[in-house]
Amino acid sequence: MTSGGIRYEPPADVAEALRVQEELRSRVDLVGPGPTAPTTVAGLDVAYAESGDRLAAAVTVLDAATLAVVDEAVVVGRPAFRYVPGLFAFREMPALLAALDRLTVRPELLVCDGHGLAHPRRFGLACHLGLVTGLPAIGVGKTPLVGEWAEPGPERGAWTPLRDGGEVVGRVLRTRDEVRPVFVSVGHRMSLANAADRVLALTPRYRLPETTRTADRLCRQALAAALA
DNA sequence: GCGACAG
DNA sequence: ATCTTGTCGC
């Protein structure tokens, strides 16, 4: 049980969701620095049915050194909120927490498929998940939501700051040579530099972290099985 | 008012 | 997110 059996009620509407973000944002730990050599790292991802009314949320826990999957859990359910940019977390949170609850191993770090601080109100999915579970968390987005940046160098490891409203909210990080960069931001209890290091440690071969790749495969197959 | 907008 | 044809390359 990773979330400690945390209860999580989705908001009734957009106004309430905004109030919840406003209330929780101040409780995010932006100091970190978080684990530099974690033993286990979890990846979280969600797959949706084309009808849009069903989803599968998966969590995979990897041995941080070998990147082998040591635990996993997946739940099929319904989106808890309609998709609204900036309120994305409310959609997947209940299912992801349910999946986390089914883990046997409590991971030392959560790698989320979406942003953390790189969010219009500095409270993206990674912040929300980290805060609710109490675990260190980072966000790895495939496309930007907010901010401006300069193109990082072409080699793996190159990065540039992602800035929004004058503040650095993340890093645009190249995880593979000559491949489109990813957007890394702090979720909870992590420093930005450590978050970027952890992402590089999870991307020995592909653009996206192994954690999100394994979670992605798991939720897709679970959704297909559930719909069959 | 118009366009942008994680997954 | 999901749909979707072809295409380039290991």
Side-chain angles (χ1 to χ4, degrees), chain A residues 33-209:
Chain A
T36 297
T39 301
T40 54
V41 186
L44 304 88
D45 193 26
V46 175
Y48 293 85
E50 49 188 306
S51 56
D53 59 353
R54 297 267 284 176
L55 59 72
V59 183
T60 52
V61 181
L62 278 56
D63 176 303
T66 66
L67 301 187
V69 176
V70 296
D71 192 15
E72 59 179 40
V74 59
V75 300
V76 172
R78 311 260 177 197
F81 205 76
R82 71 189 182 85
Y83 175 66
V84 179
L87 297 179
F88 169 62
F90 295 101
R91 191 170 170 72
E92 310 190 332
M93 192 77 63
L96 287 173
L97 290 176
L100 282 166
D101 240 15
R102 295 191 179 189
L103 292 178
T104 300
V105 177
R106 182 178 172 79
E108 292 167 28
L109 171 66
L110 302 181
V111 178
C112 308
D113 191 24
H115 301 100
L117 282 186
H119 173 279
R121 290 170 297 280
R122 307 292 179 265
F123 196 68
L125 175 65
C127 298
H128 212 142
L129 272 172
L131 185 61
V132 171
T133 60
L135 292 169
I138 65 179
V140 181
K142 297 182 287 296
T143 62
L145 173 58
V146 296
E148 312 89 47
W149 67 95
E151 182 76 6
E155 73 286 359
R156 164 178 156 83
W159 61 271
T160 54
L162 174 62
R163 293 195 175 82
D164 185 44
E167 59 181 310
V168 175
V169 298
R171 279 187 189 183
V172 181
L173 177 67
R174 191 90 63 189
T175 54
R176 302 301 306 160
D177 289 354
E178 310 290 341
V179 170
R180 188 156 53 102
V182 296
F183 298 78
V184 179
S185 60
V186 167
H188 184 54
R189 299 178 55 193
M190 285 289 287
S191 69
L192 180 54
N194 189 24
D197 285 344
R198 301 281 62 75
V199 170
L200 285 174
L202 290 167
T203 50
R205 185 161 161 64
Y206 298 100
R207 175 189 179 228
L208 299 179

